[in-house]
Amino acid sequence: MGDARPIGIFDSGVGGLSVLRHLRLLLPAEDVLYVADAAWCPYGSKPAGIIRERIAEVVGVLQARGVKLVVVACNSASTVGLADVRRRYPQLTFVGMEPAVKPAVEQTRTRAIGVLATATTAAGESLARLVSRFGRWAGAAAEDADAPAGRDNCRGVAVHVAVPEGLVELVERGAGDSPAAEALLRPIMTRWREAGVDVVVLGCTHYPFARAAVERLAGPGVVIVDPAPAVARQAARVLAAGGALTPSLRAGQTTFLATGEADAFYAIVSRLAL
Ligand code: DGL
């Protein structure tokens, strides 16, 4: 019994590797097919309609390759496209991502958390729903005139949201922990230190590759929440519940596919520790 077909996982680029490494640790016998939609990276600054079309296309590739589960290892894609691909591909099972607001709210002592996200995720319904459920908008997000209704809710944990523009591109170049990454994170982290933020959520799968820079700037005692381990556990639970774990006892293989500049992608894959 069981299901020996591969798990499909995708992101706009290398960000999903932060999820893949936890998936590999948890399910070492599974074969995995990783797709990086590098020709369209970054997703997070593109219109939702374009991201949605890209996701549908990539999921089509994964389906054609016979995957048993699709892990959407991208917050931006999950925010704008997960519901759509679930509708378009009803025969596939999906595990998606959402910003880890709930675990952050559970860990804060100062009642102030920060979420680092792409523009798409920061403006998305999924984050809005989580903030209104577990906290209240704080800082610049609370003053945003285009913000969804509910941002003036003044109960609960203060949720600061910031978009470190350009960080995805730096991670794609292997420079997530670099003076350039620090320079664009510094103003955000300085504001958050002043606001007493003691938990920082990495709300984009690229950001774990900038974790060292975030940690240095956040200061001592600040907890960094990376949702990747929880997503890998969810994938394992879904497979186990469906009787779809591989029966194989050998080490699983990971196959990488990329759209666009495949050479650049493969060079970075080998630099980022798996
Ligand atoms: N890594 C993705 C995310 O989690 C996408 C980043 C991007 O392409 O902008 O949002």
Side-chain angles (χ1 to χ4, degrees):
M1 287 300 285
D3 188 340
R5 292 177 298 160
I7 298 170
I9 173 168
F10 79 93
D11 178 45
S12 60
V14 298
L17 300 176
S18 64
V19 177
L20 175 68
R21 60 189 177 188
H22 290 282
L23 210 55
R24 285 260 60 116
L25 284 172
L26 211 56
L27 301 169
E30 298 289 341
D31 289 333
V32 179
L33 176 59
Y34 183 104
V35 176
D37 195 11
W40 292 82
C41 186
Y43 276 174
S45 51
K46 295 200 168 52
I50 291 184
I51 306 176
R52 229 172 267 130
E53 282 314 308
R54 290 310 308 157
I55 302 165
E57 172 116 4
V58 171
V59 171
V61 169
L62 291 171
Q63 187 191 39
R65 297 241 174 181
V67 301
K68 59 183 169 186
L69 171 75
V70 175
V71 179
V72 184
C74 173
N75 289 267
S76 310
S78 298
T79 295
V80 298
L82 187 55
D84 183 59
V85 282
R86 280 199 162 116
R87 258 194 315 272
R88 288 198 203 195
Y89 297 94
Q91 64 282 39
L92 280 176
T93 306
F94 291 90
V95 170
M97 306 203 58
E98 61 178 26
V101 171
K102 183 168 181 267
V105 164
E106 285 164 358
Q107 291 177 73
T108 179
R109 297 169 312 276
T110 58
R111 300 185 64 71
I113 69 163
V115 178
L116 292 170
T118 65
T120 294
T121 302
E125 276 173 30
S126 149
L127 181 60
R129 189 172 23 81
L130 291 164
V131 176
S132 61
R133 186 149 171 228
F134 299 109
R136 65 180 170 88
W137 297 97
E143 289 143 29
D144 182 351
D146 299 325
R151 288 203 171 187
D152 58 351
N153 164 13
C154 44
R155 291 176 299 113
V157 169
V159 183
H160 298 257
V161 179
V163 179
E165 297 281 1
L167 189 54
V168 166
E169 289 87 335
L170 285 176
V171 170
E172 285 293 319
R173 297 206 295 272
D177 183 14
S178 66
E182 279 201 13
L184 61 87
L185 285 163
R186 186 169 290 108
I188 299 169
M189 303 312 294
T190 303
R191 267 199 322 275
W192 286 1
R193 281 175 81 142
E194 286 163 6
V197 166
D198 69 345
V199 183
V200 172
V201 174
L202 304 177
C204 165
T205 53
H206 280 73
Y207 299 168
F209 297 112
R211 183 179 183 134
V214 173
E215 267 170 357
R216 272 195 305 279
L217 294 164
V222 171
V223 174
I224 312 291
V225 179
D226 172 5
V231 173
R233 284 196 298 275
Q234 175 63 6
R237 265 195 302 268
V238 167
L239 289 177
L245 290 166
T246 183
S248 164
L249 297 175
R250 62 163 176 77
Q253 300 212 322
T254 306
T255 305
F256 293 97
L257 294 178
T259 59
E261 275 298 310
D263 288 353
F265 171 73
Y266 293 124
I268 294 297
V269 168
S270 58
R271 279 175 63 188
L272 297 176
L274 281 180

